[in-house]
Amino acid sequence: MIARDPRRVFHLANAATGALLGCGISHILPLLPAAAGAAGLQAALAAACLCPRCAWVGANVTRGPARGAVALTFDDGPDPVLTPWILKALDAAGAQASFFCVGEKARRHPGLIRAIRDAGHSIENHSDRHRYSFAALPQTAIAREVRTAQQTLTALAGQVPLFFRAPAGFRNPWLAPVLAAHGLRYVSWSRRGLDTIDPRPERVLRRLVAAIQEGDILLLHDGAGARDHKGAPVLYAVLPPLLAIARERGLAVVGLPALLG
Ligand SMILES: [Zn+2]
């Protein structure tokens, strides 16, 4: 029985997820009748895999304790333009952050990893190649993505990443045991600016600060970010006011190790 075998059920959900991500839902519609008996379960599992802030496929930290601080996180770097600019902005504001770095980008820009570390920020694991099919990969490939990035970032930074975030936040049930083997905790976010898709800085900023409160984990990007109507990275008009607003509201801006202990 499919429903009594979690691995078979997951493979079905995995196939659906992979198809959703890679081919588009129209390609899998003809296949659905063949799996009609498990369709509801497949849909639920596929939804679980595609739900970044859910804990249905493994533990998921979405916020920290209320201790007067928020954590700022940047995904998808390091980037030769944005990362140095972010480091200067953080330094000017006396703020700290966590950088979820991509292994292959880190190998291309090892000096940026050292710069992040030397400024006192934490470097975390965002997979090795940032494959958008991550949630559809088998466990061996998931393990390789996590392990290779972990080895790269540890070697370059001289410190071991403590947290992992999946590409686009999409996971599958194979990930949790892989993270446990590396002593990694899965972290998503409580507020995100959608700075990779929204070219309007004022809207990106509003998503982050409109209801900001202590314990929040904020998500921005230092790679693949959107650009405004003048062609400048949206982040340029978002990060300084974000840091100023946090200060006005008495919130320290810290990295994940400080927020989560
Ligand atoms: Zn990413």
Side-chain angles (χ1 to χ4, degrees):
M1 289 285 290
I2 289 173
R4 291 178 184 171
D5 185 341
R7 293 192 175 208
R8 286 195 64 195
V9 170
F10 175 68
H11 280 307
L12 287 170
N14 210 7
T17 304
L20 280 166
L21 290 171
C23 306
I25 194 167
S26 63
H27 290 71
I28 64 167
L29 286 176
L31 304 177
L32 292 181
L41 199 46
Q42 280 184 57
L45 280 166
C49 294
L50 299 173
C51 181
R53 299 185 62 237
C54 298
W56 298 333
V57 292
N60 184 359
V61 178
T62 59
R63 60 181 307 110
R67 294 183 192 143
V70 297
L72 182 55
T73 67
F74 293 95
D75 283 10
D76 295 0
D79 177 86
V81 173
L82 278 178
T83 305
W85 181 86
I86 291 169
L87 294 178
K88 285 182 185 172
L90 294 175
D91 182 57
Q96 293 286 302
S98 288
F99 291 76
F100 281 89
C101 295
V102 177
E104 67 173 9
K105 289 187 178 180
R107 290 190 289 277
R108 259 186 273 148
H109 307 290
L112 293 176
I113 296 297
R114 289 190 288 270
I116 295 169
R117 175 204 62 195
D118 290 347
H121 308 293
S122 84
I123 293 160
E124 312 299 349
N125 188 331
H126 195 39
S127 83
D128 197 58
R129 289 179 291 168
H130 203 278
R131 296 173 66 178
Y132 286 103
S133 59
F134 185 83
L137 296 176
Q139 190 171 32
T140 50
I142 292 271
R144 186 166 55 246
E145 281 288 310
V146 174
R147 182 181 62 249
T148 307
Q150 192 76 350
Q151 291 170 341
T152 291
L153 297 171
T154 300
L156 294 177
Q159 61 188 34
V160 182
L162 301 175
F163 304 103
F164 180 85
R165 183 179 283 155
F170 297 154
R171 298 167 289 149
N172 68 34
W174 302 129
L175 178 60
V178 170
L179 297 186
H182 289 281
L184 285 161
R185 294 171 71 187
Y186 191 86
V187 173
S188 53
W189 56 83
S190 57
R191 303 185 194 284
R192 60 176 167 175
L194 297 179
D195 57 316
T196 57
I197 58 174
D198 193 340
R200 291 160 295 187
E202 67 283 358
R203 291 173 58 114
V204 173
L205 180 63
R206 194 182 317 135
R207 290 187 190 98
L208 293 167
V209 303
I212 193 171
Q213 55 187 300
E214 53 187 349
D216 270 336
I217 297 173
L218 309 177
L219 169 60
L220 285 167
H221 293 78
D222 59 341
R227 291 177 177 263
D228 64 19
H229 68 283
K230 296 177 183 172
V234 165
L235 194 64
Y236 287 179
V238 170
L239 185 56
L242 168 62
L243 295 171
I245 290 168
R247 177 181 290 233
E248 287 168 12
R249 299 187 188 180
L251 297 168
V253 177
V254 301
L256 288 171
L259 185 77
L260 301 177

